[in-house]
Amino acid sequence: MKAILDHIGIAVKDLAAALAFYRDALGLDVEPPEDVASQHVRAHFVPVGESKLELLEATSPESAIAKYIEKRGPGIHHITLRVDDIDAAVAQLKARGARLIDDQPREGAEGSRIAFVHPGAAHGVLVELKQAAVSSQLAAVSDGLSAISRAPSAMALESHVQQYKLGNLELISLCDGFIHLDGGAMFGTVPKPLWSRRAIADDRNRITMAMRPLIVRGARTMMIDAGLGDKENAKFHDIYGVDRSRNLDHTLAEAGLSVEDIEIVVASHLHFDHAGGFTTRDASGRVRPRFPRAQYIARRGEWEDATHPHERNRASYLLDNYVPLADAGVLQLVDEDQTIMPGVKVRRTGGHTMHHQMILIESGGKTAAFVADLIPTTAHAPDPWIMGYDLYPMDTLAAKKQFVKEALEKEILVFFEHDPVVAAGYIREENGKRRVEAAAR
Ligand SMILES: [Zn+2]
Ligand SMILES: [Zn+2]
């Protein structure tokens, strides 16, 4: 089993005195406190590199922390090891006869799963095992608010259908599962001490990203992007940490739709995590369009780039995802910003790729935007949080500034294609701080 030291819990009797030492004398940053009501504990996390110290304050005499201090005085209470697979870890310990406090993993803070090992087994140390199965990108949603307001249940990875009404149009956010991409690459020039507050990295430094195609139902039924699809092999799945246990097939069915219902498919751009689902392999092994009745629409410049990749973008452009569409005669290339169906138009943003486009949806005086990789997750809302993958980051910056201004003025419902938790929300700005408020479905 591989494990990373997640944090060291320290039982604190006099919080003010503890802060005077850890915060003031040592000069460490202390995060806003988090209340764990069920345990009668308030936790103050102190980031130290990859790990944290957790100052634990009892909020009631019944608290285990209060009892611990009464018995032994303040001091180190537990250490927490983060593991990839807590079920496997617990099974392994049981097989070796190690005494556990929790026989089965249970729910911990922020959607994690935890299990305590008895100090008798761990030579006098209370050991907590933790599987951080979820990304903490909701932190971005509640940025500027107290951490207490984060609802742990809302932290879970969201892979279900989410429906929104926009005037006469119905917007249905689907999910093609999750991939894991390098956290450093996802946040470009933003240093890890900052981005790691908004996204938990695994032991390969990867963060969890969803793939969320969007259905627009109006005059016709349109799908925007289609996720990764099912053509990639085990090696690819390992590199990108693909989890498609719930995928587009499931969420389409959950939305009451089938592949035959899709009449138009629009591509934001042709990277594999957006265009992979455009095609599928049939029983004979031939790659063919996945949506048999659909007309596919892509930007001509993007098509040119995708069919003539260079060293920098080759890994992202897989020909099988879109060349079979042209071969089948179902691909239409557009040169300019234009209306695709009533209420839906494409607008080039550039930046991520030269011809990357977003999709603007308008009905009943309301606007929604599918911004794709312009703002891939809610954590990317601040201007300088730009992916290292972007070929033209200064263009991303300009396009993002322009879009956010518009989004604030017009109260645009923004779809975040890669956010693991929040499918859509509203960008807010208060006292120079930008955050995203998740939209009610
Ligand atoms: Zn991309
Ligand atoms: Zn992407």
Side-chain angles (χ1 to χ4, degrees):
M1 148 188 1
K2 258 198 271 175
I4 292 175
L5 179 61
D6 186 88
H7 66 264
I8 296 175
I10 300 171
V12 166
K13 193 173 180 181
D14 179 346
L15 182 74
L19 289 177
F21 175 73
Y22 287 99
R23 185 189 59 201
D24 305 333
L26 285 177
L28 300 173
D29 278 338
V30 179
E31 292 180 353
E34 293 180 35
D35 267 17
V36 188
S38 61
Q39 308 289 318
H40 305 289
V41 158
R42 188 171 298 137
H44 305 254
F45 280 101
V46 184
V48 281
E50 300 278 307
S51 308
K52 292 180 178 184
L53 304 177
E54 180 188 29
L55 306 179
L56 292 159
E57 182 194 6
T59 54
S60 137
E62 299 123 73
S63 163
I65 294 299
K67 288 177 187 155
Y68 181 92
I69 290 171
E70 198 179 303
K71 225 161 120 185
R72 309 201 199 185
I76 292 184
H77 175 261
H78 67 271
I79 67 168
T80 298
L81 299 175
R82 198 161 71 232
V83 295
D84 278 346
D85 183 343
I86 195 166
D87 294 298
V90 165
Q92 184 176 331
L93 288 169
K94 276 189 192 166
R96 303 258 171 167
R99 192 171 157 202
L100 297 166
I101 294 174
D102 297 304
D103 225 29
Q104 296 292 334
R106 58 186 169 92
E107 205 177 306
E110 301 195 333
S112 63
R113 294 174 68 223
I114 60 164
F116 278 95
V117 182
H118 197 278
H123 301 262
V125 180
L126 177 61
V127 175
E128 177 187 28
L129 300 174
K130 168 178 163 185
Q131 180 182 329
V134 299
S135 163
S136 72
Q137 286 176 3
L138 199 70
V141 176
S142 61
D143 202 13
L145 303 171
S146 151
I148 297 166
S149 63
R150 293 182 217 163
S153 60
M155 299 296 294
L157 294 180
E158 183 51 73
S159 67
H160 286 88
V161 164
Q162 306 190 45
Q163 310 206 20
Y164 307 84
K165 198 103 188 96
L166 189 87
N168 311 319
L169 300 175
E170 196 183 344
L171 307 180
I172 310 171
S173 174
L174 306 179
C175 184
D176 193 40
F178 302 93
I179 52 174
H180 293 80
L181 294 183
D182 185 87
M186 275 308 295
F187 292 109
T189 58
V190 178
K192 186 169 180 183
L194 294 184
W195 66 250
S196 61
R197 293 181 191 171
R198 296 176 173 219
I200 295 173
D202 67 11
D203 60 355
R204 290 158 85 173
N205 206 44
R206 303 175 307 184
I207 62 165
T208 307
M209 309 223 311
M211 294 172 286
R212 303 188 187 281
L214 182 69
I215 296 279
V216 184
R217 295 195 88 176
R220 307 182 70 187
T221 300
M222 167 189 278
M223 180 183 288
I224 305 170
D225 288 355
L228 174 68
D230 55 9
K231 300 188 300 300
E232 304 313 326
N233 62 21
K235 186 180 166 198
F236 183 102
H237 279 228
D238 175 61
I239 292 172
Y240 294 106
V242 176
D243 173 6
R244 293 182 71 254
S245 47
R246 266 183 63 77
N247 60 48
L248 192 61
D249 291 331
H250 302 115
T251 48
L252 256 184
E254 196 184 314
L257 293 167
S258 76
V259 289
E260 277 87 19
D261 292 320
I262 309 302
E263 297 166 284
I264 305 171
V265 178
V266 181
S268 64
H269 62 306
L270 294 171
H271 284 168
F272 64 71
D273 51 324
H274 302 254
F278 288 176
T279 58
T280 190
R281 216 179 291 282
D282 66 19
S284 70
R286 217 181 108 237
V287 177
R288 58 174 174 78
R290 164 108 164 265
F291 305 98
R293 292 180 52 230
Q295 184 76 23
Y296 290 73
I297 296 173
R299 201 108 188 163
R300 187 181 306 278
E302 178 68 16
W303 165 263
E304 294 296 336
D305 289 346
T307 49
H308 301 86
H310 50 67
E311 290 78 357
R312 171 76 197 258
N313 63 14
R314 186 160 288 141
S316 304
Y317 284 130
L318 309 179
L319 298 175
D320 262 357
N321 293 337
Y322 38 83
V323 171
L325 304 175
D327 292 346
V330 296
L331 180 64
Q332 185 190 336
L333 299 175
V334 299
D335 294 287
E336 289 165 10
D337 294 352
Q338 58 191 268
T339 297
I340 304 294
M341 78 175 196
V344 182
K345 56 189 178 197
V346 293
R347 185 199 285 174
R348 193 181 79 88
T349 67
H352 181 62
T353 69
M354 179 62 84
H355 301 277
H356 177 276
Q357 62 186 1
M358 64 181 187
I359 290 83
L360 289 167
I361 306 154
E362 281 173 346
S363 183
K366 295 201 160 95
T367 306
F370 185 89
V371 293
D373 280 344
L374 176 64
I375 311 177
T377 75
T378 54
H380 291 83
D383 286 332
W385 291 56
I386 290 171
M387 287 190 277
Y389 295 110
D390 285 15
L391 295 180
Y392 310 97
M394 291 308 290
D395 294 347
T396 305
L397 180 63
K400 190 196 270 191
K401 280 185 160 174
Q402 193 206 327
F403 171 73
V404 169
K405 187 166 174 278
E406 200 180 327
L408 290 168
E409 281 166 11
K410 288 204 217 161
E411 244 330 76
I412 293 180
L413 175 63
V414 184
F415 284 83
F416 298 97
E417 189 170 9
H418 287 311
D419 196 285
V421 179
V422 177
Y426 297 95
I427 297 176
R428 305 276 185 232
E429 218 162 53
E430 283 147 20
N431 312 320
K433 271 206 138 189
R434 195 174 291 166
R435 65 185 177 89
V436 173
E437 182 184 317
R441 294 168 218 176

